[in-house]
Amino acid sequence: MGRTRAGVRLGADRPEDWRGPPAPVRAPPGKLKHRKKGGHANGSVKEVLEKWSIDRSQLLIGHRFASGAHSRLFHGIYKDQPVAVKFTRQPDNQEDAELAAQLEKQFSTEVTTLARLNHPNVIKLVGAWSSRPAFCVITEFLSGGSLGAFLHKLDHKALPLDKIISISLDIARGMAYIHSQGVVHRDVKPDNIIFDEEFSAKIVDFGIACEEEYCDPLANDTGTFRWMAPEMMKHKAYGRKVDVYSFGLILWEMFSGTVPYEELNPFQAALAVFDKNVRPPIPTSCPAPVRLLIEQCWASHPEKRPDFCQIVQILEKFKTVLDRDGTLDNMPSSICQETHGHKNWLAHWVQKLKHSHIMSSVVTRHHSVSSPFQTVLIR
């Protein structure tokens, strides 16, 4: 997979004859005709594109800064604001109809998903248009680069603990919100975590996301092997916990400064997880409470992994203790289990209120603010 920036999938990097826009150039004005698509949980693709259409006379396209097999990513300015402009082009070869359909599906998925998400730790959609064989997605521009590139520069050195907790909290809060909206990302990895100018982490690349109730275990366009949960590899039924598994590996990477299973190619890494239930060794520098959290996140059985709303609570406790003591060494590792107990207590509390008017107002309020506790309240 190629590098990703500002919420787009770039594919495997390889040279190709791709006819993209020159740089710089002003995009021509005018409306585009959209092809009819099937329904979506939050409206058809056509409806979303109509809502998120832009005034292309206001779009200035600059220099390319990333590329992949079928996509090119450009700096841009839209209404005086910096944006990232991704153009994806379907192959000209009529024999590649399957690939063409897959690229269109990824465009449709990304646009319809981003159109319904609004959170500080999720990339923001600015606009989109479709004109086969080309598709365009415009997002906010994030200037800080990817977590993957940042970790690569460390060369097997760990990030400072306070940075690890801060970045992890950003990711966990974003993922708790995404899951509260019924969406499974399915490709959580360092290259899909991008920093803004204030070093706040945002989750990007929703091209293979899915509605949790419609996740297809037989789909062949899901995830990246090194970060893929074993149930996805085995084409078993799965849900949001596949993202938790991937998060555990990201947390591990920030302590190790390297990719998981570095000595193996992607297929060998997948086979090690699939066949032998292998996990990378956790560095001795990792505090015991964080080690336990990592192990819980990448547990073989999805039901044993915590939800992201729980992970946020755990990481907030880590941050409180770290800010106060400067270390987590004196913190009991049982705190993770205690948070599982907290979930049981919260569920019991909700059960007691379910016949009251208070319960009704709580559910309504949590739906409206998209709280990370929403998944606990409505289960």
Side-chain angles (χ1 to χ4, degrees), residues 184 186-188 222-247 249 261 269-270 273-274 277 279 297-302 305:
V184 181
R186 299 201 294 184
D187 199 18
V188 178
T222 53
T224 307
F225 274 148
R226 293 186 191 276
W227 295 271
M228 188 183 294
E231 61 267 29
M232 288 182 70
M233 295 181 188
K234 297 175 182 178
H235 296 289
K236 293 183 176 181
Y238 62 83
R240 65 184 64 187
K241 294 298 184 71
V242 298
D243 292 338
V244 175
Y245 176 94
S246 303
F247 174 81
L249 284 167
Y261 321 106
V273 174
F274 181 96
N277 200 31
R279 301 290 186 275
C297 287
W298 69 29
S300 298
H301 300 290
R305 301 171 200 157

Side-chain angles (χ1 to χ4, degrees), residues 39-352:
H40 184 268
N42 281 268
S44 70
V45 177
K46 180 180 178 180
E47 291 170 345
V48 171
L49 290 175
E50 288 174 349
K51 180 179 179 180
W52 289 88
S53 64
I54 66 164
D55 179 358
R56 286 183 286 152
S57 68
Q58 297 292 311
L59 175 63
L60 175 66
I61 301 173
H63 295 286
R64 186 178 73 190
F65 66 89
S67 60
H70 306 285
S71 301
R72 299 292 185 267
L73 198 59
F74 295 83
H75 293 285
I77 299 292
Y78 182 63
K79 294 184 176 179
D80 299 323
Q81 296 297 318
V83 294
V85 184
K86 185 190 78 166
F87 288 93
T88 300
R89 185 179 180 87
Q90 293 174 309
D92 294 325
N93 188 347
Q94 293 298 321
E95 295 179 359
D96 230 340
E98 184 177 350
L99 175 59
Q102 185 179 39
L103 292 173
E104 183 169 5
K105 177 185 175 185
Q106 289 181 359
F107 164 78
S108 300
T109 298
E110 180 144 49
V111 171
T112 53
T113 302
L114 285 178
R116 54 186 286 212
L117 300 179
N118 183 20
H119 189 274
N121 299 117
V122 177
I123 188 79
K124 287 182 172 56
L125 180 67
V126 174
W129 74 74
S130 168
S131 181
R132 295 183 68 197
F135 308 104
C136 179
V137 178
I138 305 171
T139 64
E140 64 176 320
F141 178 73
L142 303 177
S143 59
S146 72
L147 176 59
F150 192 74
L151 294 176
H152 180 72
K153 295 176 183 177
L154 293 178
D155 192 24
H156 297 79
K157 296 178 182 177
L159 279 171
L161 183 56
D162 61 331
K163 288 290 186 186
I164 292 176
I165 300 303
S166 176
I167 294 170
S168 299
L169 258 173
D170 281 348
I171 300 170
R173 285 168 176 157
M175 289 306 306
Y177 167 75
I178 290 166
H179 284 180
S180 78
Q181 303 303 300
V183 174
V184 181
H185 188 283
R186 299 201 294 184
D187 199 18
V188 178
K189 60 182 179 181
D191 280 350
N192 287 340
I193 307 298
I194 311 292
F195 298 106
D196 63 15
E197 67 280 359
E198 297 177 354
F199 208 68
S200 175
K202 302 200 178 195
I203 299 153
V204 307
D205 195 347
F206 289 81
I208 60 171
C210 68
E211 298 277 349
E212 184 168 28
E213 59 184 311
Y214 299 119
C215 287
D216 181 5
L218 301 180
N220 59 4
D221 60 347
T222 53
T224 307
F225 274 148
R226 293 186 191 276
W227 295 271
M228 188 183 294
E231 61 267 29
M232 288 182 70
M233 295 181 188
K234 297 175 182 178
H235 296 289
K236 293 183 176 181
Y238 62 83
R240 65 184 64 187
K241 294 298 184 71
V242 298
D243 292 338
V244 175
Y245 176 94
S246 303
F247 174 81
L249 284 167
I250 292 178
L251 192 52
W252 173 88
E253 283 183 77
M254 288 191 281
F255 279 100
S256 65
T258 185
V259 299
Y261 321 106
E262 183 182 35
E263 71 284 359
L264 304 176
N265 65 40
F267 180 78
Q268 291 171 331
L271 188 62
V273 174
F274 181 96
D275 194 42
K276 299 180 180 178
N277 200 31
V278 171
R279 301 290 186 275
I282 300 176
T284 56
S285 61
C286 180
V290 184
R291 174 187 296 267
L292 180 59
L293 176 59
I294 293 173
E295 290 173 344
Q296 288 182 331
C297 287
W298 69 29
S300 298
H301 300 290
E303 64 274 10
K304 294 185 178 180
R305 301 171 200 157
D307 288 316
F308 271 110
C309 58
Q310 295 173 263
I311 294 172
V312 169
Q313 297 171 42
I314 293 169
L315 291 171
E316 286 175 344
K317 290 184 180 180
F318 288 174
K319 185 179 186 304
T320 299
V321 173
L322 188 63
D323 290 345
R324 184 190 66 207
D325 301 340
T327 180
L328 297 180
D329 290 343
N330 299 323
M331 188 177 191
S333 60
S334 61
I335 189 164
C336 295
Q337 285 107 337
E338 290 170 4
T339 304
H340 277 288
H342 175 73
K343 178 186 177 184
N344 293 334
W345 171 84
L346 185 59
H348 177 68
W349 177 74
V350 172
Q351 184 68 22
K352 287 177 63 177

